[in-house]
Amino acid sequence: MGQAMVEIIEPDCTGCDLCITHCPFEALLPLSDCPEGRRKRPVIVLNEKCVGCLSCLASCPTSALREVIIPAESEISPLIVDRERAPSVESVNRWGKDGNKWA
Ligand code: SF4
Ligand code: SF4
């Protein structure tokens, strides 16, 4: 594989949402529900959509986004998650009526 992808250091993510519009592949989306003890719901990386372009890294004011290097000999991404058990996320309207028009 040899692909670079990203992960979010969850305690460092304030849920500011700035990174969401920096991902051209809509791989960064906020959780539907706010976990207990958090003021804002964090954003997660949808690994099946992330192509490792790293466009989002500089968008995070708290450096919560980090590059993950996937070793060339890997047969499967270490970021793959079981979507059956993955938390639900909110969709973000970019291009429809009242969309934010960012990509
Ligand atoms: S690395 Fe690229 S595809 Fe992956 S979340 Fe960041 S901007 Fe989106
Ligand atoms: S820009 Fe950083 S702090 Fe803001 S939601 Fe994205 S990962 Fe979290």
Side-chain angles (χ1 to χ4, degrees):
M1 296 180 76
Q3 188 182 20
M5 299 179 79
V6 298
E7 64 179 356
I8 295 177
I9 312 302
E10 204 267 339
D12 294 340
C13 175
T14 62
C16 70
D17 294 351
L18 283 174
C19 59
I20 292 174
T21 51
H22 283 263
C23 176
F25 301 95
E26 301 187 3
L28 296 164
L29 287 176
L31 288 177
S32 300
D33 301 310
C34 186
E36 207 173 307
R38 298 290 298 261
R39 288 178 56 225
K40 289 195 70 183
R41 77 268 183 279
V43 169
I44 64 169
V45 182
L46 301 179
N47 62 283
E48 70 272 22
K49 291 188 174 180
C50 176
V51 301
C53 68
L54 307 181
S55 303
C56 56
L57 288 191
S59 68
C60 180
T62 62
S63 300
L65 279 161
R66 182 172 73 179
E67 180 181 359
V68 176
I69 303 294
I70 301 173
E73 65 274 15
S74 293
E75 293 182 2
I76 187 168
S77 165
L79 300 179
I80 293 289
V81 295
D82 181 354
R83 293 305 300 169
E84 296 286 315
R85 291 184 293 150
S88 62
V89 290
E90 279 180 22
S91 60
V92 173
N93 180 11
R94 293 169 183 239
W95 304 112
K97 187 171 182 292
D98 302 324
N100 57 29
K101 309 290 189 294
W102 279 80

